[in-house]
Amino acid sequence: GETQLKNLGINSNGHLRLVNPIASHQTLLRQDLAPNLFNNVKDNQGKFDRIAIFEIGSVYLSSEGTVIKDSEGKEFLPYQEKRLGIVLALSNVDVFRKVKGIIYYLLSGFDLDASYKKSEFIFPWAEKNICADIVVNRKIIGAVAQLSSACANKLNIKRPVAIAEINFRELFIYLKPLAKRNIRQ
């Protein structure tokens, strides 16, 4: 919803609007997994000392995709992308470093090395100096960032939060050859 995005400093103008939303606070198609993962942290922070959640889901961008919309093949649905989102909320821990460790552990299980580089794009909700691109084989496959304290206050989140989003298509480019190799063995 627009209020949720506004609290995160995200401009909703580029988001696709639903014609018939099922709820007044869910009128837009998501472009990132982060806003809903932050809501999950907020909803669960009173119940758990340690919050670690992942989601695999689609995001919808306002550019044209490859899926045909009409019977004539002239219109296409918006571009859709599968992503893996990982969020961690802990007190007294460097959550940004911890999420980077989770990504390292995940990718090393597939014999992939992740490196990080300073992001050129800083999410409006992120701490300015705590944001990095996730790089595999010199290609950016995602990003990791820490929620700013200002946005955490607006969302009523009481502990440090870091999040990573990885583009599944980009990740599977590197996993496909590994899967073929393992099937032959």
Side-chain angles (χ1 to χ4, degrees):
E2 292 181 54
T3 303
Q4 180 185 23
L5 295 179
K6 185 178 177 182
N7 286 338
L8 291 169
I10 298 172
N11 184 342
S12 64
N13 289 341
H15 285 70
L16 298 169
R17 296 192 179 281
L18 294 170
V19 176
N20 295 315
I22 58 172
S24 62
H25 66 283
Q26 295 176 330
T27 59
L28 307 169
L29 291 177
R30 64 185 179 179
Q31 291 188 342
D32 297 293
L33 300 178
N36 288 341
L37 288 171
F38 292 144
N39 267 352
N40 289 334
V41 169
K42 183 183 88 169
D43 292 345
N44 287 288
Q45 67 187 346
K47 303 170 193 155
F48 303 99
D49 293 331
R50 176 185 173 93
I51 299 172
I53 302 170
F54 79 93
E55 176 185 358
I56 298 171
S58 294
V59 298
Y60 307 89
L61 306 178
S62 52
S63 58
E64 190 174 87
T66 58
V67 177
I68 297 171
K69 179 179 177 181
D70 63 348
S71 60
E72 298 167 11
K74 294 180 181 177
E75 288 189 64
F76 294 86
L77 292 174
Y79 180 75
Q80 298 177 37
E81 187 174 283
K82 282 272 190 228
R83 291 190 187 167
L84 165 65
I86 301 169
V87 67
L88 191 61
L90 301 167
S91 298
N92 304 318
V93 174
D94 183 347
V95 288
F96 180 73
R97 179 172 276 155
K98 201 80 161 159
V99 169
K100 285 174 53 178
I102 290 168
I103 294 165
Y104 170 82
Y105 183 76
L106 171 71
L107 296 179
S108 67
F110 296 112
D111 294 328
L112 297 173
D113 290 323
S115 61
Y116 300 90
K117 72 173 198 158
K118 185 176 179 178
S119 292
E120 291 182 24
F121 172 79
I122 306 295
F123 299 101
W125 47 260
E127 287 289 351
K128 299 301 177 222
N129 296 321
I130 310 179
C131 186
D133 291 330
I134 304 166
V135 180
V136 172
N137 291 341
R138 296 186 298 266
K139 186 162 186 170
I140 297 170
I141 66 164
V144 58
Q146 185 166 326
L147 180 65
S148 72
S149 54
C151 282
N153 286 337
K154 286 180 185 177
L155 297 174
N156 202 23
I157 293 177
K158 306 292 185 204
R159 61 185 77 160
V161 176
I163 191 166
E165 281 195 39
I166 297 174
N167 180 319
F168 246 35
R169 180 177 293 160
E170 297 298 327
L171 178 59
F172 276 113
I173 288 170
Y174 302 108
L175 297 182
K176 208 173 194 178
L178 294 173
K180 287 180 183 177
R181 187 176 69 207
N182 288 336
I183 290 172
R184 290 184 196 131
Q185 292 179 355

